Amino acid sequence: MRGCPAVATVAVAVAAVLAAGANALAAASSGDSCTASGNGSTYTLHITMPAGTQQYGFAFGASGATVTNAVIPGSNGSFSTQNLAPNTSGAWISDSPLSGAPVASVTLSGQMTGSLRVVPASGTQPTYMSPVTCKLANVASRTAVFSVASRPSYMPAAHAWRLSVAIAGAGTVSAKEAEPTIGTAAPQGATAKPYVHVKQVSLKTPGKVTLSVRPTAAGSQRLAAHGSLKIHLLVTFDAATGKSASKLVTLTLRK
């Protein structure tokens, strides 16, 4: 019986060391940097990660607003509101490490009154690192101004939908489907075949361009089965001046 207090003391010490290790990991600095551009409800975040880092996604927070969606096009992952870092309201988590300089499109609900922040995740079951504040670029001087029509029109002869985009100057408009995964939990998510593909269009003057949104084989099958096709499209305008901006739009395609 005399040994019990000593055993208890060792157990408490081990637990304290483990807890300290977990807290140290959660508070570790990622070395990331972030810049953001946009206004209203949609922002584009350019995140730079140190070489060799192991990051599986990010939690996002916006002072005064709620994050309702986030995507990193071209990477396998999904949006979640579970297991979030403090002072965040949404996360995008992948089942494999990210590489390069991820670009995230974040959609907000409410009026942002302060800063945008990202909190890197060091695993698929998120253990979060220290938050990083995104420097908000001057919208007037650094972004390209454009608008996207709220509804596409179907053209039977072309077997495609036409989406009008108005641009304030010369440049190129492109778009890609912004939901590369299926499933609700990132670790169990699977890479999904795209439902549509879009060719980029350039214009040498201010005006309107028309994007042709064509269904893939997978999109045609889903359209035939359900009568409509709901997609999230990330539309990007790269202006001839070097400025760039992106908008995430939700479209329901019907014939």
Side-chain angles (χ1 to χ4, degrees):
M1 298 296 293
R2 293 181 179 178
C4 291
V7 172
T9 300
V10 171
V12 170
V14 171
V17 170
L18 293 175
N23 291 335
L25 180 61
S29 174
S30 63
D32 290 7
S33 61
C34 175
T35 59
S37 62
N39 53 29
S41 62
T42 304
Y43 290 83
T44 300
L45 278 55
H46 295 263
I47 305 167
T48 302
M49 305 184 303
T53 189
Q54 292 283 305
Q55 296 180 32
Y56 289 76
F58 307 92
F60 302 93
S63 301
T66 300
V67 177
T68 58
N69 195 25
V71 294
I72 300 180
S75 299
N76 181 39
S78 60
F79 179 72
S80 175
T81 56
Q82 305 297 316
N83 301 320
L84 299 175
N87 301 315
T88 63
S89 50
W92 186 95
I93 304 297
S94 176
D95 57 5
S96 58
L98 300 175
S99 60
V103 178
S105 181
V106 177
T107 304
L108 306 180
S109 174
Q111 182 64 43
M112 187 173 68
T113 57
S115 61
L116 276 165
R117 70 191 70 87
V118 297
V119 187
S122 61
T124 56
Q125 298 295 330
T127 299
Y128 290 106
M129 308 174 83
S130 297
V132 177
T133 299
C134 295
K135 183 179 179 181
L136 189 61
N138 184 292
V139 174
S141 64
R142 297 192 184 182
T143 62
V145 179
F146 75 108
S147 61
V148 184
S150 59
R151 294 183 181 181
S153 57
Y154 182 65
M155 308 302 293
H159 301 289
W161 289 263
R162 292 185 177 177
L163 182 65
S164 179
V165 180
I167 58 178
T172 300
V173 179
S174 59
K176 63 174 65 176
E177 197 171 351
E179 291 285 1
T181 60
I182 57 176
T184 56
Q188 288 75 38
T191 301
K193 294 181 180 179
Y195 290 143
V196 299
H197 59 83
V198 185
K199 289 186 177 181
Q200 66 182 28
V201 181
S202 298
L203 192 64
K204 295 183 179 180
T205 61
K208 289 186 177 181
V209 300
T210 301
L211 296 177
S212 293
V213 182
R214 299 181 182 278
T216 62
S220 295
Q221 290 177 359
R222 187 171 181 85
L223 185 63
H226 298 276
S228 63
L229 185 61
K230 186 175 182 179
I231 61 170
H232 300 288
L233 205 63
L234 187 65
V235 182
T236 300
F237 173 41
D238 295 307
T241 59
K243 301 175 184 178
S244 180
S246 298
K247 293 183 180 181
L248 185 66
V249 297
T250 300
L251 304 175
T252 299
L253 306 180
R254 295 186 176 89
K255 291 186 177 180

